Amino acid sequence: MSQVYSTEPATTGHVVFETTHGPIDVNLWCKECPTTTRTFVQLCLDGYYDGMIFHRILSDFLIQTGLSQQSSLQASASADDIDKYLRGSTAVSTKSLDMSGDALRWDRKKLEVNPRIRFNHRGQVAMALPLEESTNNTDTEETAMLRYQFFVTLDEAPFLDAKHVVFGTVAGSTMFNALRIGRTDADDQTGIPTDLEDAPPRIKSVKIDYHPFEDMVITAEKKLPFRKTAANGDGGMGKGGANGQQSTIEKRRKKRKQVRNLNILSFGDEERDYDAITSSAKVSTMKSSHDILAGESNFLSAKVDADVEKRSKDKEGEGNKMKSKQKSAKASSLRHVVEEKIGDRIETLDTQHAGEDKNRIRSTDTTRNEEENGKKAQSVMNEEERPSKRSKTSKSKKISEVEARRSKYIKSST
């Protein structure tokens, strides 16, 4: 499959269709199909496809849209009106105005068939108008309206090659949304959806991401023919249409209920009396045993739920109280522990201070003892020195006496 896509040229434009079945991303070949893509982008800018239904759905083949605000598949805006609007819009480039012939260049569409772009895979987006009828000036209204319609293939269709201009391709996984639209119930021959009046698949809005036509602008709303006609009716959208109008089926469902005519009945008076009784008094309807048990079970379950809720609240309150008590007990225990630690610390400090005082007292006592011992030793030494001095003096006295005697003796002898 990748080989198939690799042969196609690069796309230069991108739009997103928001549908009732999800978004559909479409890549555009603006360089290869300039006239077709320019007209298509102008219609998207002016909201032409907003609210359009997929009026033709053929399973496993294609889905088609673009029939202007149709009602029972009859266009409410003619092809001539749309052509006039397009000629006055930026769908016509300045180059086309300078050329002779048709300004919309329908005759150029045959030249926009590219051999590299074919119906060789699903998701190819092409204009619904066949190329053989694009240049025919005697087209019917139904055929002329095909100029603004396009279809998306749900499978490969090689028999359509060179018969329709392929100007885009569905990108990515949004192809599955297109396939979902293709599975909508529809008539096998015409492709008209079976729920056309109720809720057919449709386009909600169109978002244009980018395109190479820089001169294109949105057309004023008063110049749009499909908007003027759409304001007068529901545009065939049915339930939830583009203008929010209600379908005929919905109106029938909301039709006012008729009043019963009891005059034609022979027992009309009895019927009126019964209606008056039933309207004034509340009629007690019979209930089955299942309904009674269900009601009782609901009552009991509600009561049980209330009891359970009350008990849970009580438990929560008790739990909160217990938590507060536990917190207070923890705080008191922490205080007790801290006080004990502080007391132990004070005791240790006291013992340290007492030891230091004792050591100081002992040191003072020892110093005093040492001083006293020194004084005693000094006194003893002094006492010892005193007798020695006395003995020396006595000896000296004795010596002097002996010498005196000797000297006397010597003198006497002489």
Side-chain angles (χ1 to χ4, degrees), residues 177-190:
N177 296 330
L179 293 173
R180 287 176 58 205
I181 296 173
R183 289 194 290 270
T184 305
D185 293 335
D187 186 81
D188 295 336
Q189 299 296 327
T190 60

Side-chain angles (χ1 to χ4, degrees), residues 4 23 30 54 107 112 118 136 165 185 226 254 263 269 290 317 319 343 391 401 411:
V4 173
C30 298
F54 289 90
D107 54 344
E112 295 181 355
R118 295 176 292 126
N136 188 2
V165 178
D185 293 335
F226 45 86
K254 293 183 178 180
N263 294 326
D269 295 334
H290 176 74
S391 61
E401 288 177 358
K411 286 180 179 180

Side-chain angles (χ1 to χ4, degrees), residues 139-181:
D139 292 339
T140 61
E141 183 67 19
E142 184 178 356
T143 305
M145 287 302 300
L146 293 175
R147 296 175 180 176
Y148 320 109
Q149 300 178 32
F150 66 92
F151 62 86
V152 180
T153 59
L154 305 179
D155 199 356
E156 60 179 5
F159 52 89
L160 295 179
D161 289 339
K163 294 181 180 179
H164 295 267
V165 178
V166 184
F167 63 94
T169 183
V170 177
S173 59
T174 58
M175 182 64 209
F176 294 105
N177 296 330
L179 293 173
R180 287 176 58 205
I181 296 173

